[in-house]
Amino acid sequence: MSPVVPQQSSAHPLLRVRGLDVRYRSGDGADHLAVAGASFDLQAGQRMALVGQSGSGKTTLALAVTGLLTSTGTTDVRISADQLTFEGRPVVSRGRGAIPLRTPGIAVVFQDAMNALDPVRPVGKQLAAVLAGAGTTGRAARDAAGHWLERVGLRDVTRVLRSRPDELSGGMRQRVMIAIALAGGPRLLVADEPTSALDASLARGAMELLTELTRSEGVALLVISHDILLCLEHTDVVGVMYDGEIVEFGDSARLAEHAEHPYTRALVECVPTLADRTRQWLPTLADVMSTS
Ligand SMILES: Nc1ncnc2c1ncn2[C@@H]1O[C@H](COP(=O)(O)OP(=O)(O)OP(=O)(O)O)[C@@H](O)[C@H]1O
């Protein structure tokens, strides 16, 4: 497959990715090219989704563009790119053994809020630390912490601020994660499977919240999900990944109706909907890729 190269580009995108390769090498000599020749631009305030089946390279690509992907244990990570810039500056990943550093201006929401949050610190203290990093302290920080919890739709904020993560439900924790991520004033929010630990109705609510908040704050969103229909509905552009490559990249509305790549069409078609009661058998992705 030949790599997809973006058709339109502005002179100053928020994030520019050109020819990005990410390779994992493990101690036993196994070598895996997890991302191959990825190229796309993300504009300020734009919402983009990365979709594709498990193992297609979505998380690897997203972590590489945040600078958080580093060699660990017996696994070597090799990142190379013709261009990988955020706000015009190169994204830098740290070497083996170093604690990965956050790229200023980029915040990340991970799939499992329970693991991502500090389990022993009250939510209010975790929010205060992020606000302090952004220059807001004291009374202003206390007000801002309550404000952010309200912005993500939480009620009884005084109780939530005093609670440890284990005292909250999964849906509440995910909202706290989103509040913490946005409280630092990022220009890009990367959300890796933010809805997969939630049931279908909570997942839709979390995606709507991410869309609405990033739109009102003017923050760009890069969201990873298996749910292509939810992504097509809530984002401006979608990158479809298969076996490490972006096989199709384009406007979400266009892809929903006129996807060009057979894999994208199959991803859309293999989701059953209540509206389509006529279909007997849904296509499988393996069938599509073996015949394309
Ligand atoms: N630390 C690692 N060491 C070796 N291989 C890895 C490592 N992390 C990921 N991989 C491999 O890289 C490929 C891409 O993985 P990645 O997690 O990026 O895919 P994904 O599309 O995000 O999958 P999922 O939807 O299941 O999270 C997979 O084949 C995976 O096994």
Side-chain angles (χ1 to χ4, degrees):
M1 274 177 286
S2 53
V4 173
V5 176
Q7 304 281 305
Q8 318 143 316
S9 56
S10 84
H12 304 290
L14 184 72
L15 179 69
R16 170 154 284 177
V17 182
R18 290 288 181 278
L20 173 67
D21 287 349
V22 183
R23 188 177 288 280
Y24 292 108
R25 276 193 195 139
S26 48
D28 60 8
D31 187 297
H32 182 70
L33 186 60
V35 175
S39 295
F40 64 90
D41 284 344
L42 184 63
Q43 310 300 335
Q46 198 174 32
R47 285 174 300 281
M48 170 179 168
L50 274 177
V51 298
Q53 69 201 70
S54 254
S56 54
K58 307 179 297 294
T59 297
T60 302
L61 172 51
L63 288 180
V65 304
T66 60
L68 290 176
L69 194 61
T70 56
S71 299
T72 52
T74 54
T75 303
D76 249 351
V77 181
R78 301 279 167 90
I79 303 173
S80 66
D82 299 329
Q83 230 182 329
L84 178 55
T85 57
F86 176 70
E87 296 182 322
R89 287 185 293 277
V91 173
V92 180
S93 296
R94 305 191 83 203
R96 171 183 292 282
I99 295 173
L101 278 185
R102 198 173 71 81
T103 301
I106 302 181
V108 185
V109 172
F110 292 101
Q111 177 176 341
D112 185 351
M114 193 62 209
N115 283 337
L117 293 167
D118 184 332
V120 295
R121 285 177 95 196
V123 161
K125 289 229 160 46
Q126 300 189 48
L127 257 168
V130 172
L131 288 162
T136 307
T137 53
R139 177 71 200 259
R142 282 194 292 281
D143 290 347
H147 161 81
W148 275 109
L149 290 186
E150 281 169 5
R151 288 295 310 274
V152 296
L154 290 169
R155 289 189 292 272
D156 197 4
V157 296
T158 310
R159 178 181 77 81
V160 176
L161 285 169
R162 290 193 190 127
S163 302
R164 291 187 317 270
D166 67 293
E167 294 171 312
L168 304 174
S169 71
M172 291 170 86
R173 283 196 290 268
Q174 201 58 350
R175 285 174 189 260
V176 166
M177 277 285 298
I178 295 170
I180 289 176
L182 289 173
R187 271 80 71 201
L188 170 62
L189 179 66
V190 176
D192 187 357
E193 298 280 0
T195 62
S196 65
L198 307 173
D199 69 37
S201 65
L202 286 181
R204 175 160 288 274
M207 187 65 118
E208 281 165 1
L209 180 69
L210 275 174
T211 314
E212 187 241 301
L213 284 177
T214 48
R215 181 182 287 136
S216 63
E217 295 297 311
V219 176
L221 175 68
L222 175 59
V223 61
I224 296 173
S225 176
H226 288 109
D227 191 335
I228 188 166
L229 296 188
L230 201 57
C231 287
L232 288 171
E233 202 181 315
H234 286 89
T235 58
D236 305 306
V237 288
V238 172
V240 181
M241 292 196 75
Y242 179 79
D243 198 19
E245 288 188 19
I246 297 180
V247 294
E248 184 155 11
F249 182 88
D251 189 77
S252 305
R254 179 185 68 75
L255 256 61
E257 298 296 327
H258 307 290
E260 279 170 21
H261 199 281
Y263 180 68
T264 313
R265 286 202 296 271
L267 274 181
V268 174
E269 284 169 10
C270 70
V271 182
T273 64
L274 288 174
D276 183 5
R277 295 180 178 183
T278 55
R279 197 190 299 279
Q280 294 294 311
W281 294 98
L282 294 168
T284 69
L285 295 174
D287 290 347
V288 172
M289 293 314 282
S290 62
T291 54
S292 69

